[in-house]
Amino acid sequence: WRQCTEARFQALTLASLSLDARSLRLCPARGGAIVSTDRGGLRVAAGVPALALSGRLGDTPIRLTSGAVGLAWPGSLVARQIAVELGDRTDPNRFTIAALDAKLGREAVGTFTGADAKLAAVPLDILNAGGTWRFANGQLALGEGAFRLEDRQLDDRFRPLVARDATLTLVDNRIAALAALREPRSDRVITEASIVHDLGSGRGHADLPVRDLRFDQQLQPDTLTYLALGVIANAEGTLRGGGRVDWTPDQVTSTGNFTTDKFDFAAEFGPVEGVSGTVAFTDLIGLVTAPDQRLKIASINPGIEVFDGQLSFQMEPDGVLVVNGAEWPFVDGELFLLPTRMKLGAVDERRFTLKVVGADAAQFVQQLDMSNIAAKGVFDGELPLVFDENGGRIENGLLTSRAPGGNVSYIGALTYKDMGAMANFAFQSLRSLDFKRMEIGLGGELDGDIFTQVRIDGVTQGEGARRNFITRQVGRLPIRFNINIRAPFQRMLNSFRSLYDPGAVRDPRALGLIDAQGRPIQQPAPPAPLPPDIQPPDSRKVP
């Protein structure tokens, strides 16, 4: 056979592979023959420009196509652009190999590159795989495997993972594989996947143990899933547990349980520390949990730190996070996060509402480290928080004192001794105020200015204030205080403090307002004026 020739076969069987009747056009190497003999024995060398074969691998239908294939026996095998389909034509398992090389003898050994594997039942693809292979005694073994694992969905739930030194065996129509899946940038092992698949039945499973996976500067939740973007950042802590994926030709199911003893992170509404508990997934691939998952939270700081809370939530299909609610003890009262829903991974407006119930004013000012201020009273209210692509803000927050009211007083020593007689007199007269009702309205940008409106009704002198004829006459009048503050959130807290604590007012020289000789320093142009309705009309001089 010194020229190309047609070779036909009625059936061709190799181990568990049986091919249907087909004809192949075989061509010899240039200047040679397909079959030759010499002192070394019988030799076969032929090339095929392309393959188009079909048959069965065990009980599974198989279809195989390729580009050029070259065979020399004994010697080597070279194949390019191999494509294999296993199973029903409507939804097959697909395998492609860009290049396959082998040395042929008593056994076949070689390498492969550019391989992709896409199981119909599992929405995760193995891409750009390469490694070594060996076929002997009816068993195919792959070793030194390297590949990339990707989510097949258009909107990926998981970022790609990589593997190296993976192994796979195929014997008696059964695949068994083991691979350590790593996050590419940190090279940290996320899980050690153990996979079993039966080609005959189309059934299989994957065990995915997670052993003390650490999150730190090198590895963050959003490097594993896009759904964490804008939700969790600066994570610190470890996670353990595992998942399992089971599949048949008709469906895929997946479950998982993951536990942390201490997990810290930054959320939209502030830093969160000491999260602990277990989360159970009923659909691990779809990131769906069982209802009412509960986590303990050691502390959270949306501006005022609270401790020892508990969160109830669940994940629903399509990346929807349902917060059933959260609660914390809060200065002898309670702080609640009201129920809300949000779509993870989407640039949508997100709304949270913090509800304050029975907050004790005395403990509140202590928590703010206002050591020179004392307060009495109990407050309730709500702080609606809104987050979108422009940042976070408070919308129409309101805290209201309970009847019969309370007191705010300055209990420290007077810092500035040279305020003048009238200023000193006014301060001593107003250092303690009783009120029947106080309302604190909050609004504005969390990373910018917060507008605070304090309305105090039924104001009278409290215990410790200096009384005289004038104050007794004024005390008979119905007095209302309306105070407006515009400042960044933390500066706003200091503004409350400075109302009663002169020591909280910084020296103007330290602020760069005057020089050492007391002369004003030229300041840059002021910002645009505030809207005219910032100071309400009822702040005019009225009783």
Side-chain angles (χ1 to χ4, degrees):
W1 292 322
R2 294 183 175 274
Q3 297 179 348
C4 293
T5 185
E6 292 288 329
R8 296 180 176 86
F9 56 86
Q10 192 65 31
L12 179 62
T13 301
L14 177 64
S16 58
L17 175 64
S18 299
L19 297 178
D20 300 331
R22 186 70 62 179
S23 65
L24 300 176
R25 182 173 177 80
L26 302 178
C27 296
R30 182 174 297 179
I34 294 177
V35 178
S36 61
T37 57
D38 56 21
R39 292 180 180 179
L42 177 69
R43 297 183 180 277
V44 177
V48 179
L51 288 177
L53 304 172
S54 63
R56 305 189 75 82
L57 182 61
D59 298 326
T60 305
I62 183 172
R63 294 164 296 281
L64 184 150
T65 61
S66 76
V69 177
L71 170 67
W73 178 271
S76 62
L77 170 69
V78 176
R80 299 291 182 262
Q81 304 304 321
I82 303 169
V84 179
E85 289 187 356
L86 288 171
D88 189 271
R89 287 182 178 273
T90 58
D91 199 13
N93 301 306
R94 301 177 187 273
F95 304 88
T96 59
I97 302 175
L100 183 144
D101 299 277
K103 293 182 178 180
L104 303 178
R106 293 184 177 180
E107 60 182 23
V109 296
T111 62
F112 65 97
T113 58
D116 296 342
K118 301 179 180 181
L119 296 177
V122 182
L124 301 173
D125 295 336
I126 294 176
L127 304 177
N128 198 30
T132 63
W133 65 276
R134 175 178 177 272
F135 184 79
N137 301 320
Q139 176 176 309
L140 173 65
L142 308 184
E144 301 178 25
F147 60 84
R148 187 173 74 255
L149 183 70
E150 288 192 2
D151 193 336
R152 192 183 303 158
Q153 283 199 168
L154 183 62
D155 296 325
D156 294 347
R157 295 155 297 188
F158 306 100
R159 293 185 185 270
L161 299 176
V162 298
R164 60 177 182 269
D165 298 325
T167 62
L168 179 147
T169 60
L170 170 59
V171 59
D172 295 332
N173 228 26
R174 183 180 175 87
I175 294 175
L178 182 65
L181 300 177
R182 302 171 181 268
E183 193 279 318
R185 287 186 293 179
S186 66
D187 198 42
R188 193 162 296 173
V189 174
I190 306 304
T191 182
E192 296 178 357
S194 176
I195 302 169
V196 174
H197 181 73
D198 188 283
L199 292 172
S201 64
R203 296 176 178 271
H205 68 266
D207 290 316
L208 306 169
V210 175
R211 298 182 175 90
D212 291 328
L213 175 62
R214 177 154 191 84
F215 290 89
D216 51 24
Q217 292 183 349
Q218 294 183 344
L219 179 66
Q220 290 292 303
D222 60 13
T223 60
L224 298 180
T225 172
Y226 296 94
L227 299 179
L229 282 171
V231 179
I232 293 178
N234 300 328
E236 290 277 351
T238 58
L239 198 67
R240 66 181 183 275
R244 181 181 171 99
V245 183
D246 292 274
W247 58 85
T248 69
D250 302 320
Q251 66 174 350
V252 178
T253 59
S254 58
T255 57
N257 286 273
F258 299 93
T259 299
T260 181
D261 297 322
K262 185 180 184 299
F263 199 79
D264 305 336
F265 60 90
E268 288 178 315
F269 42 79
V272 180
E273 295 185 354
V275 176
S276 62
T278 298
V279 177
F281 287 87
T282 56
D283 179 2
L284 181 59
I285 294 178
L287 292 178
V288 177
T289 69
D292 192 24
Q293 298 296 293
R294 291 184 175 269
L295 294 173
K296 294 181 179 180
I297 303 175
S299 72
I300 184 172
N301 192 345
I304 306 298
E305 192 168 16
V306 291
F307 304 90
D308 299 326
Q310 187 174 90
L311 169 70
S312 171
F313 75 98
Q314 60 211 49
M315 290 289 299
E316 294 186 348
D318 300 322
V320 175
L321 172 62
V322 179
V323 177
N324 300 318
E327 57 187 48
W328 297 265
F330 181 57
V331 291
D332 254 10
E334 292 179 290
L335 178 67
F336 297 93
L337 176 62
L338 298 185
T340 188
R341 299 170 64 92
M342 70 181 75
K343 178 70 178 292
L344 301 182
V347 186
D348 292 336
E349 183 180 81
R350 298 172 183 172
R351 291 183 173 269
F352 305 89
T353 299
L354 294 174
K355 183 176 182 178
V356 178
V357 177
D360 181 72
Q363 294 191 36
F364 182 72
V365 296
Q366 287 180 8
Q367 190 161 325
L368 294 179
D369 194 27
M370 297 181 178
S371 58
N372 288 330
I373 295 176
K376 296 179 181 179
V378 177
F379 285 80
D380 306 302
E382 292 187 355
L383 298 177
L385 306 178
V386 181
F387 299 88
D388 54 26
E389 65 273 14
N390 298 317
R393 61 187 182 275
I394 302 176
E395 283 191 353
N396 302 320
L398 180 64
L399 300 177
T400 305
S401 65
R402 290 183 183 178
N407 172 273
V408 179
S409 58
Y410 176 69
I411 58 177
L414 184 60
T415 304
Y416 294 112
K417 303 298 184 182
D418 57 349
M419 289 196 306
M422 291 305 297
N424 198 358
F425 170 77
F427 177 78
Q428 295 295 344
S429 300
L430 299 176
R431 68 183 300 159
S432 178
L433 294 178
D434 291 335
F435 59 86
K436 292 183 178 179
R437 181 179 176 84
M438 180 186 293
E439 293 182 352
I440 304 174
L442 296 167
E445 305 296 325
L446 293 177
D447 57 355
D449 284 346
I450 296 292
F451 297 91
T452 306
Q453 295 181 332
V454 182
R455 174 173 171 168
I456 310 176
D457 288 318
V459 178
T460 58
Q461 282 187 298
E463 183 179 353
R466 180 171 295 176
R467 290 177 171 81
N468 53 39
F469 173 78
I470 296 176
T471 61
R472 284 192 290 271
Q473 297 303 313
V474 173
R476 298 174 183 176
L477 299 176
I479 297 176
R480 170 185 294 169
F481 282 176
N482 288 324
I483 305 168
N484 290 304
I485 302 172
R486 174 182 177 174
F489 190 64
Q490 292 300 326
R491 196 186 304 166
M492 176 195 70
L493 299 179
N494 292 333
S495 298
F496 278 123
R497 185 188 220 168
S498 65
L499 291 176
Y500 278 94
D501 185 358
V505 180
R506 295 176 59 188
D507 190 321
R509 290 169 295 184
L511 297 173
L513 300 177
I514 60 175
D515 59 20
Q517 288 73 40
R519 293 174 299 190
I521 297 176
Q522 185 65 32
Q523 300 296 318
L530 299 176
D533 59 348
I534 293 300
Q535 182 71 23
D538 61 359
S539 65
R540 293 172 297 173
K541 296 179 181 179
V542 296

